[in-house]
Amino acid sequence: MNVQLFKLILFFATFQSLSCFQLDTQEYGNAKVGERCERDRNCIQHAFCFTHMTCQCDQYYSPTPDKSMCIASAGLTCTDDSVCSSMTNAVCRQGICACKDSYILDINNSSNCIVRPLVVGDLCQRTDECQDTFDRAMCINGRCQCITSYHFVNATGKCIQTRFLYNLCTKDYECVDFDNKNILECKDGQCVCKNGQETCSRGATLTSIGIFVVLLPFIY
């Protein structure tokens, strides 16, 4: 009887020890970001128990919208792309998670890389995104736009200064009519009407008359 009792006590003691060992070796728990915790191991993976006794994501990790996961964000140390796989459109570059080529970091979400503006009219968040791509451009109402007196040229992928009728020029694409019609060309270093463009000729006549009217008071 004493032997059986001893075996029973030994069994429960062993079971209790194993249970404690499992608790001690548990790496992370189920408490989401913002939920109450007592120790780091109470929190989800890549999170810790903050001083206010709530779970917070580790540095260079960001919570998902439902706060059930902490995912990699820009700047996280990495050894290969798999470490950055929870980011959107990211790779491991020079030991840290960064956006892929042709992508830029979302200013509202450091775990999200968005497409870099490629043509005028593309979405943007900051003016410097447009300037980096098109030079003389600004982010206006969430879209890249060339600044005043500049226009976008597909051949260069840049916003270049607009040359109007009779302005000096070096390339045809610099010359643009006031209505942005493709009726001007660069000839002998000057923007002039293309052959057969009657509307351009009338516009040139009106421009000349306008200049004469403006100068008339100074002549007499």
Side-chain angles (χ1 to χ4, degrees), residues 10 14 40 42 54 61 66 82 96 98 113 117 123-124 134 175-176 215 219-220:
L10 182 62
T14 303
D40 290 347
N42 299 144
T54 56
Y61 283 89
D66 62 0
S82 64
I96 61 171
C113 295
L123 293 172
C124 57
F134 311 116
C175 302
V176 176
L215 294 177
I219 297 175
Y220 296 99

Side-chain angles (χ1 to χ4, degrees), residues 31 35-43 49-50 53-55:
E35 292 184 347
R36 187 167 181 78
C37 58
E38 294 181 357
R39 298 182 181 182
D40 290 347
R41 69 187 183 193
N42 299 144
C43 302
C49 192
F50 195 52
M53 307 306 289
T54 56
C55 293

